[in-house]
Amino acid sequence: MQHIYVNFKRFDVPSQMGGVNRISDISSYASTIIPKCEKELEKYKGKCEFVQFYPEAQIPSAVIAAKDSVIEIGCQSVYRQDVKVGGNFGAFTSNRPAAAAAALGCTAALIGHCEERNDKNEILSLGGNTDRKVVNTILNKEVLAAQSRGLKVLYCVGEKDTELDEWDKVITEQLEIGLKGADLSSVVIAYEPVWSIGPGKTPAGKEYITKVAKLIKSVIGNVPVVYGGGLKEANAEMLSSIDEIDGGLIALTRFTGEIGFYPDEYLRIVELYMNGKENK
């Protein structure tokens, strides 16, 4: 089974306000995107899992639009604590507990994305704490909270440019601490080579991605590993040729001009990747 994800980050912000949503009003974004994708994705039913992670404001319309399709809807992380009957009724202002995500209709959560890790590291550093193990411990609480509500987890790991000399140690810590006590049967790992993501940076190559994917599977066992550094048209065939890679995470489909996510380009990426896997 392959796994292809989309992280719709900043798609709740119109382009005129600095976002990359150029297709529709933010309130109808999901209900515009999903119908343009679902029919073409049906041919991969049973071969590939498709999950789309939306900002919270767009989740309800996404759940409705994806009903009876092969597309599942996920949320962008959950809070490390949760509500419970007879206990905390949810005094987590500004944070989304896993119960809320499940109640909205989500089936998965994206946890540990490099942007989430950066945010937590920055907060800790303001207090003088630079111990990266602390962030992994916090993320572990999020993973367990998500799973307690029946949510599948896409857990992201990856090294920064300052960590290249100890990339294996960094990733091993992220796995062993972040997934401690987790049900690995409902976890997929996304590898993000943080040092190679962004304008002007050299993308990680096949050999490097392969060695990291092999390390992940040696540490955590037979858990699916997807490429989180951006599955795109330019690398779909290359990634599909790596035995240890089981899919990818997409954020944008176009990186120049009117950058953003376009359904026809997304379907082309899926086709390139899946054809590569099927024709190996």
Side-chain angles (χ1 to χ4, degrees):
M1 175 71 78
Q2 299 300 302
H3 309 264
I4 296 181
Y5 303 90
V6 182
N7 179 24
F8 286 110
K9 54 185 181 181
R10 299 187 307 275
F11 285 83
D12 52 352
V13 182
S15 58
Q16 61 267 30
M17 294 179 69
V20 292
N21 175 1
R22 306 178 191 279
I23 292 180
S24 73
D25 181 83
I26 60 171
S27 62
S28 58
Y29 184 80
S31 58
T32 300
I33 290 291
I34 291 173
K36 294 179 181 292
C37 302
E38 57 185 349
K39 290 182 180 178
E40 282 296 312
L41 298 180
E42 284 287 342
K43 63 186 177 184
Y44 302 112
K45 188 174 182 178
K47 299 178 181 178
C48 187
E49 173 188 52
F50 298 99
V51 182
Q52 298 183 353
F53 299 101
Y54 285 88
E56 187 169 27
Q58 295 172 332
I59 290 174
S61 63
V63 170
I64 293 171
K67 185 178 180 181
D68 299 325
S69 79
V70 296
I71 298 172
E72 296 183 51
I73 305 302
C75 62
Q76 296 163 334
S77 200
V78 297
Y79 190 50
R80 64 182 180 274
Q81 298 180 47
D82 202 357
V83 303
K84 62 179 180 179
V85 176
N88 194 320
F89 64 88
F92 308 128
T93 301
S94 83
N95 293 298
R96 175 180 51 248
L104 285 170
C106 293
T107 60
L110 171 63
I111 294 176
H113 188 280
C114 63
E115 293 169 1
E116 181 183 10
R117 288 182 181 273
N118 287 342
D119 175 62
K120 287 176 168 53
N121 275 313
E122 182 178 356
I123 292 171
L124 289 170
S125 67
L126 291 173
N129 191 326
T130 58
D131 185 355
R132 65 191 180 209
K133 292 181 181 178
V134 176
V135 171
N136 292 322
T137 300
I138 294 171
L139 294 174
N140 176 247
K141 293 180 181 293
E142 294 180 2
V143 169
L144 298 179
Q147 290 194 331
S148 73
R149 293 292 178 176
L151 301 177
K152 295 179 289 187
V153 171
L154 178 62
Y155 180 68
C156 300
V157 301
E159 75 282 23
K160 301 177 182 178
D161 53 3
T162 56
E163 299 169 327
L164 284 171
D165 290 341
E166 52 175 349
W167 65 273
D168 49 348
K169 180 181 178 182
V170 170
I171 292 173
T172 297
E173 283 181 356
Q174 292 173 345
L175 293 167
E176 291 182 342
I177 299 174
L179 294 176
K180 184 178 180 180
D183 176 5
L184 298 181
S185 68
S186 63
V187 171
V188 173
I189 308 297
Y191 168 57
E192 296 181 285
V194 184
W195 55 270
S196 77
I197 301 172
K201 296 184 178 181
T202 302
K206 178 177 179 178
E207 183 177 347
Y208 193 92
I209 295 169
T210 301
K211 79 170 182 178
V212 176
K214 285 182 176 180
L215 171 76
I216 292 171
K217 294 195 174 187
S218 72
V219 171
I220 210 67
N222 192 28
V223 172
V225 176
V226 304
Y227 183 63
L231 172 61
K232 58 193 78 171
E233 190 166 344
N235 65 14
E237 292 181 275
M238 178 272 286
L239 291 170
S240 70
S241 71
I242 301 175
D243 290 338
E244 293 80 11
I245 290 295
D246 307 294
L249 175 61
I250 299 167
L252 303 174
T253 62
R254 189 181 304 175
F255 299 86
T256 59
E258 292 193 334
I259 65 171
F261 179 92
Y262 298 89
D264 57 333
E265 296 171 352
Y266 164 66
L267 293 172
R268 175 62 178 159
I269 294 169
V270 171
E271 180 182 31
L272 285 170
Y273 178 84
M274 291 301 293
N275 283 350
K277 281 295 184 185
E278 293 172 351
N279 293 329
K280 281 187 64 178

